């Protein structure tokens, strides 16, 4: 049992809300286990970008609600094409409940991280090029500070957005 992972806070809150809203169909005496968070385990492996997935899902929910307010008779084309499949859409008829396709959310999160890493790698090169062409880069200390700052930001982004180990972050920053 010790080898199993604990559920994330987001997953725990989701199960707790489900149980408190009568979704478990259990008597109160039988449902008290949900309040013993330290005794709960999850069978599914933790996702690498779980917190970023949650942020993306909340942003999508807000966008869908705004779209529904402005266009009450239309269904969102973004929702139908990008995030929700026919299978996930068929799970519920309740307009307040949204199921998202995990693979599509994961692909969207991977795209966001890739763009962010690309920007973090290209901006310092562009800044050094522009400053050398203009002649404003007068000291080598300025160059070192610029490279150091973006290397630190890049390392922080890698550690925050991936499950990279310390030696992998050092290798990526050195390369």
């Amino acid at each position: 049992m010790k080898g199993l992972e604990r559920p994330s806070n987001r997953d725990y809150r989701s199960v707790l809300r489900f149980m408190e809203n009568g979704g478990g169909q259990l008597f109160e005496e039988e449902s008290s286990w949900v309040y013993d968070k330290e005794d709960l385990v999850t069978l599914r492996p933790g996702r690498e970008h779980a917190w970023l997935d949650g942020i993306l899902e909340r942003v999508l929910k807000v966008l869908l609600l705004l779209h529904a307010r402005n266009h009450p008779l239309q269904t969102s084309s973004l929702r139908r094409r990008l995030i929700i499949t026919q299978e996930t859409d068929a799970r519920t008829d309740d307009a307040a409940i949204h199921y998202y396709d995990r693979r599509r959310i994961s692909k969207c999160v991977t795209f966001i991280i890739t763009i962010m890493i690309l920007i973090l790698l290209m901006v310092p090169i562009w800044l050094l090029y522009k400053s050398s062409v203009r002649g404003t880069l007068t000291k080598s200390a300025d160059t070192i500070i610029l490279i150091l700052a973006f290397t630190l930001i890049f390392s922080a982004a890698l550690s925050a957005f991936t499950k990279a180990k310390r030696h992998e972050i050092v290798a990526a920053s050195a390369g």
Side-chain angles (χ1 to χ4, degrees):
M1 289 292 279
K2 286 192 171 206
L4 296 173
E5 292 185 33
R6 296 179 126 195
S8 66
N9 288 334
R10 186 169 162 261
D11 290 341
Y12 173 72
R13 284 191 312 271
S14 178
V15 169
L16 186 63
R17 277 193 301 264
F18 176 74
M19 295 297 291
E20 288 178 344
N21 290 332
Q25 305 299 323
L26 296 173
F27 295 111
E28 283 189 36
E29 308 86 48
E30 295 174 350
S31 63
S32 64
W33 56 267
V34 77
Y35 298 107
D36 298 326
K37 183 179 178 184
E38 56 276 348
D39 293 338
L40 299 177
V41 295
T42 183
L43 297 178
R44 98 179 153 151
R47 291 190 320 262
E48 189 171 336
H49 315 293
W51 69 272
L52 192 55
D53 291 6
I55 291 172
L56 181 62
E57 288 176 9
R58 277 182 259 147
V59 167
L60 287 171
K61 184 177 180 181
V62 169
L63 290 175
L64 292 174
L65 290 174
L66 289 175
H67 182 77
R69 274 193 205 143
N70 295 335
H71 308 286
L73 299 177
Q74 294 178 341
T75 57
S76 172
S77 60
L78 171 72
R79 178 178 179 247
R80 282 184 290 144
R81 291 184 191 158
L82 296 179
I83 305 301
I84 299 175
T85 62
Q86 290 178 347
E87 294 85 24
T88 55
D89 201 24
R91 287 184 184 175
T92 184
D93 293 330
D94 190 351
I97 298 174
H98 302 286
Y99 289 107
Y100 302 110
D101 185 37
R102 286 280 160 223
R103 288 175 302 178
R104 291 184 180 185
I105 292 287
S106 181
K107 286 180 184 179
C108 192
V109 166
T110 302
F111 177 75
I112 291 169
I113 291 172
T114 303
I115 294 299
M116 193 170 21
I117 296 297
L118 181 67
I119 289 170
L120 285 173
L121 290 174
M122 294 307 294
V123 167
I125 294 170
W126 180 77
L127 287 174
L128 287 172
Y129 172 74
K130 284 294 186 183
S131 60
S132 68
V133 168
R134 290 184 188 145
T136 57
L137 193 64
T138 57
K139 300 178 190 172
S140 62
D142 295 339
T143 305
I144 292 171
I145 290 171
L146 183 68
I147 292 172
L148 178 64
F150 275 94
T151 303
L152 288 173
I153 294 169
F154 178 75
S155 298
L158 281 180
S159 64
F161 295 116
T162 67
K163 282 191 172 180
K165 295 180 176 69
R166 289 182 192 143
H167 67 277
E168 293 169 336
I169 292 172
V170 170
S173 298

